[in-house]
Amino acid sequence: MCGIVGAVSTRNIVPVLVEGLKRLEYRGYDSCGVAVHQDGELRRTRSTSRVAELGAQIEQDHVQGGTGIAHTRWATHGVPALHNAHPHFSGNRIALVHNGIIENHDELRAELKNKGYVFESQTDTEVIAHLVHQLYDGDLFDAVQRATTRLKGAYAIAVFCRDEPHRVVGAREGSPLVLGVGQGETFLASDAMALAGVTDQIVYLEEGDVVDLQMGKHWITARQPDGRYERVQREVRTVHAHTGAAELGPYQHYMQKEIFEQPRAISDTLEAVAGITPELFGDGAHQVFKDIDRVLILACGTSYYSGSAAKYWLESIAGIPCSVEIASEYRYRDSVPDPRTLVVTISQSGETADTIAALKHARSLGMSNTLTICNVSTSAMVRECKLHFLTRAGVEIGVASTKAFTTQLVALFLLTLTLAQSRGRLSDAQEAQHMKALRHLPAAVQAVLALEPQVIAWAAEFARKENALFLGRGLHYPIALEGALKLKEISYIHAEAYPAGELKHGPLALVTSAMPVVTIAPNDALLEKLKSNLQEVRARGGELFVFADTDTHITSEPGVHVIRMPEHYGALSPILHVVPLQLLAYHTACARGTDVDKPRNLAKSVTVE
């Protein structure tokens, strides 16, 4: 989602700000901008195009300076337009950028209008800029501290003032913000990746922190329960942010690259796994796993579907009850808490606002046994949970998640085996069998990727459609959901997924020759039931596109198109079957000419509610 970069330096910092924005482009945005302190005044350049165009415009405008802030915006309040783009000014004194949502912006806007402030945008961000301006009395740090006590909602802000040319102030509550410590210069960013190549000395600011950046030095204060701010020390960590992973190489898009990186990502995720042991999930996991009777999974989007697949594993292999909740819904309903629950959060970024809020809600209900499955070791989710398992997917640039999803499934399968072992349901022979299957998984995925030419042929047909159905049964129903989501996200084709047995309960009314029906057909216990469902589709003139295991005896015929999977993979079959669905969505989007890596209206890391 929105990205922030800021800096205080003796050099012209604008190239660093622009490069930082480029590193954050993967999050998704619809406008961008830079503001600097230049010749005693505030200067800014904003654009509703890409960061590259912003950079060219900056050169043309000769914008430069040693103190500045920059932003990529994903619209929440106000349409994507130049007047709503960040940075926002209050007069020619205060410049500010903001991630998050201010819930009491209407109240503050009315108050500030009554005091004579004129608003040029529809954003909640401009409210903060004017509020800081109204409270400013010669000390920007003090003004920001006082302003944040008035804000309700989530925010990460970076702000500087015309009257204090070598100072930037940042603050966070509910949205991530990091401090970068350089040689004689200091930086702010919403993600350490933005500072890769500039500094590897990173401070992760905590909830309620306000940070004062000056030339080569900084101060941090933390808001106390009574509203006062007190000086605090935060650990400076050495963080080697990924840089080379952003190279496209021979691929057309990052999404395609990331689909083909899945064998390596799975292998890397399994690299340190010598066997099944609770210590895979951190110190103290053995006791936590002994103290739980059930599992609650909290996640959003693609991560929710990985949790939905894990429910089948946890209940059938580990024999432990499991519920899966959409994080954005969970904390807004009355639920029945159980302190003997393992609360599992799943997030690629570890900064998903809805999932963090759901985690905190679960803890407030007395469920203190928490574990996260995440791809970022320094994320808020990892810091918030007792236990964690880090996937090793590497940087994922494409907004539509691929390798993060399959590595999440691997992590969840390891969790399943560990809980099965702790409950006496995993023999040594069974562990050996499962570990052998996991070790072979990268090669099995590589074999599925070899099906790409056949999938491309299907994509040419799909590109002409506007609707599609996806069918799966049992463990593969969540994979059908994920396949439909991928097609929606990047090709803009309306797609829905159903358990195949539900067809006759309504969706069958939609089936015509114009409605392609994608079906996942593994050779499992539900195969014969699934074949009956396929006949229901054919009887109504529907056209079937089936990903079938080799031994299912489903053959191509008029109206039935079959791509044969290389092998049946038992409990791990969902990890194999999702790969051709990713390829189908990708190549369909390519055929339709959409922006695959940055689909409209979407963001990679959803850090607002």
Side-chain angles (χ1 to χ4, degrees):
M1 202 161 261
C2 308
I4 290 175
V5 191
V8 177
S9 178
T10 56
R11 58 173 163 153
N12 175 25
I13 209 66
V14 171
V16 173
L17 299 178
V18 173
E19 181 61 29
L21 293 187
K22 287 180 179 178
R23 294 187 184 281
L24 297 178
E25 281 191 290
Y26 75 99
R27 288 173 170 254
Y29 65 102
D30 44 56
S31 63
C32 50
V34 168
V36 297
H37 194 285
Q38 183 173 358
D39 300 327
E41 298 293 336
L42 305 185
R43 291 281 307 279
R44 85 181 153 190
T45 299
R46 299 181 291 179
S47 173
T48 54
S49 298
R50 291 299 178 195
V51 173
E53 284 77 9
L54 174 70
Q57 191 176 330
I58 285 169
E59 288 190 17
Q60 184 178 329
D61 295 344
H62 304 291
V63 175
Q64 56 184 342
T67 299
I69 54 179
H71 192 263
T72 51
R73 174 181 187 252
W74 186 80
T76 54
H77 296 73
V79 298
L82 204 61
H83 67 281
N84 286 325
H86 299 213
H88 286 286
F89 283 2
S90 182
N92 194 34
R93 172 175 273 184
I94 299 295
L96 182 142
V97 295
H98 161 233
N99 292 352
I101 291 177
I102 304 304
E103 296 173 359
N104 61 333
H105 69 95
D106 282 335
E107 170 192 331
L108 292 171
R109 184 187 297 267
E111 176 185 318
L112 290 162
K113 280 184 175 180
N114 287 336
K115 293 180 178 179
Y117 285 93
V118 176
F119 285 79
E120 298 178 355
S121 75
Q122 289 82 48
T123 67
D124 53 342
T125 300
E126 192 179 2
V127 168
I128 314 174
H130 290 321
L131 181 61
V132 172
H133 184 282
Q134 188 249 325
L135 295 170
Y136 183 73
D137 190 22
D139 185 341
L140 183 63
F141 191 56
D142 177 68
V144 172
Q145 287 183 132
R146 291 162 61 197
T148 55
T149 64
R150 300 288 314 280
L151 303 178
K152 296 178 182 177
Y155 57 82
I157 62 173
V159 54
F160 72 94
C161 178
R162 178 196 62 198
D163 304 336
E164 300 180 68
H166 304 297
R167 191 180 206 184
V168 170
V169 175
R172 68 151 297 197
E173 181 74 50
S175 288
L177 195 65
V178 303
L179 164 71
V181 182
Q183 295 295 318
E185 54 190 5
T186 48
F187 305 91
L188 272 181
S190 51
D191 189 323
M193 184 189 292
L195 304 180
V198 178
T199 181
D200 61 1
Q201 299 301 293
I202 301 296
V203 176
Y204 289 88
L205 300 176
E206 297 186 11
E207 296 286 273
D209 280 1
V210 180
V211 59
D212 188 353
L213 280 67
Q214 298 189 32
M215 204 76 73
K217 54 189 177 182
H218 68 271
W219 294 267
I220 301 172
T221 60
R223 189 172 61 247
Q224 305 304 305
D226 61 3
R228 293 180 302 106
Y229 281 89
E230 289 186 2
R231 181 85 172 268
V232 293
Q233 296 291 328
R234 300 288 185 222
E235 179 186 358
V236 179
R237 306 185 189 187
T238 300
V239 176
H240 300 292
H242 304 278
T243 54
E247 300 299 324
L248 259 178
Y251 298 101
Q252 187 177 354
H253 298 94
Y254 286 111
M255 183 178 178
Q256 184 186 31
K257 174 177 181 273
E258 288 151 13
I259 290 171
F260 276 82
E261 285 176 341
Q262 287 177 114
R264 175 62 183 272
I266 292 169
S267 178
D268 288 350
T269 297
L270 291 168
E271 184 176 10
V273 181
I276 302 304
T277 170
E279 282 66 37
L280 289 172
F281 299 89
D283 295 339
H286 177 79
Q287 188 58 49
V288 169
F289 292 165
K290 289 291 185 184
D291 289 344
I292 58 113
D293 295 327
R294 59 193 311 109
V295 175
L296 167 64
I297 296 176
L298 303 172
C300 299
T302 286
S303 296
Y304 172 75
Y305 295 145
S306 69
S308 298
K311 175 183 172 71
Y312 288 86
W313 287 332
L314 286 162
E315 296 197 342
S316 65
I317 297 173
I320 188 167
C322 176
S323 57
V324 188
E325 296 265 3
I326 296 172
S328 58
E329 291 291 316
Y330 170 67
R331 67 190 176 113
Y332 294 114
R333 71 175 186 83
D334 294 329
S335 57
V336 181
D338 181 348
R340 293 184 62 83
T341 296
L342 177 65
V343 179
V344 179
T345 63
I346 311 172
S347 169
Q348 183 269 330
S349 68
E351 303 289 352
T352 309
D354 286 320
T355 308
I356 292 174
L359 168 65
K360 291 179 178 179
H361 176 66
R363 279 208 312 250
S364 74
L365 297 176
M367 293 184 286
S368 60
N369 294 316
T370 58
L371 181 154
T372 192
I373 291 170
C374 180
N375 194 45
V376 182
S377 63
T378 53
S379 65
M381 210 86 75
V382 171
R383 298 196 301 273
E384 289 279 350
C385 288
K386 269 188 186 179
L387 307 174
H388 65 266
F389 185 94
L390 293 174
T391 56
R392 306 290 178 183
V395 177
E396 191 176 66
I397 302 295
V399 167
S401 180
T402 52
K403 61 179 180 173
F405 178 74
T406 46
T407 53
Q408 285 171 357
L409 288 174
V410 169
L412 288 161
F413 193 73
L414 289 170
L415 176 63
T416 298
L417 297 182
T418 306
L419 290 176
Q421 183 188 72
S422 70
R423 296 167 69 83
R425 292 175 61 98
L426 187 71
S427 67
D428 290 345
Q430 289 170 326
E431 178 182 343
Q433 182 181 0
H434 286 307
M435 288 304 300
K436 181 180 179 181
L438 282 167
R439 297 293 180 207
H440 181 61
L441 195 54
V445 172
Q446 196 67 55
V448 176
L449 290 168
L451 300 173
E452 186 181 33
Q454 298 177 59
V455 176
I456 291 173
W458 280 14
E461 292 290 321
F462 271 75
R464 296 193 291 267
K465 308 295 185 179
E466 293 301 326
N467 301 281
L469 286 176
F470 284 68
L471 303 180
R473 296 207 70 152
L475 182 57
H476 293 80
Y477 168 51
I479 302 307
L481 287 164
E482 173 64 9
L485 177 63
K486 286 292 157 283
L487 193 67
K488 282 183 279 198
E489 284 180 308
I490 60 172
S491 75
Y492 314 145
I493 293 172
H494 172 250
E496 297 294 337
Y498 288 91
E502 279 294 292
L503 266 180
K504 65 181 76 68
H505 297 289
L508 201 57
L510 298 172
V511 172
T512 69
S513 59
M515 174 77 79
V517 179
V518 180
T519 307
I520 303 166
N523 188 12
D524 60 15
L526 290 171
L527 177 61
E528 294 307 316
K529 297 287 186 183
L530 180 68
K531 287 181 177 179
S532 297
N533 302 141
L534 301 188
Q535 291 302 318
E536 293 169 0
V537 173
R538 287 299 301 130
R540 276 77 180 176
E543 194 164 5
L544 287 163
F545 293 81
V546 185
F547 292 103
D549 284 351
T550 52
D551 46 3
T552 56
H553 305 294
I554 299 174
T555 57
S556 295
E557 58 183 82
V560 181
H561 312 273
V562 179
I563 290 179
R564 298 207 173 280
M565 300 289 285
E567 57 184 309
H568 177 56
Y569 221 65
L572 292 170
S573 173
I575 298 175
L576 296 192
H577 272 277
V578 78
V579 174
L581 300 181
Q582 296 169 346
L583 289 169
L584 179 62
Y586 170 72
H587 286 291
T588 300
C590 289
R592 288 168 71 95
T594 63
D595 190 342
V596 172
D597 288 329
K598 302 183 184 72
R600 68 189 182 205
N601 304 331
L602 299 181
K604 181 65 177 172
S605 180
V606 185
T607 54
V608 298
E609 183 179 353

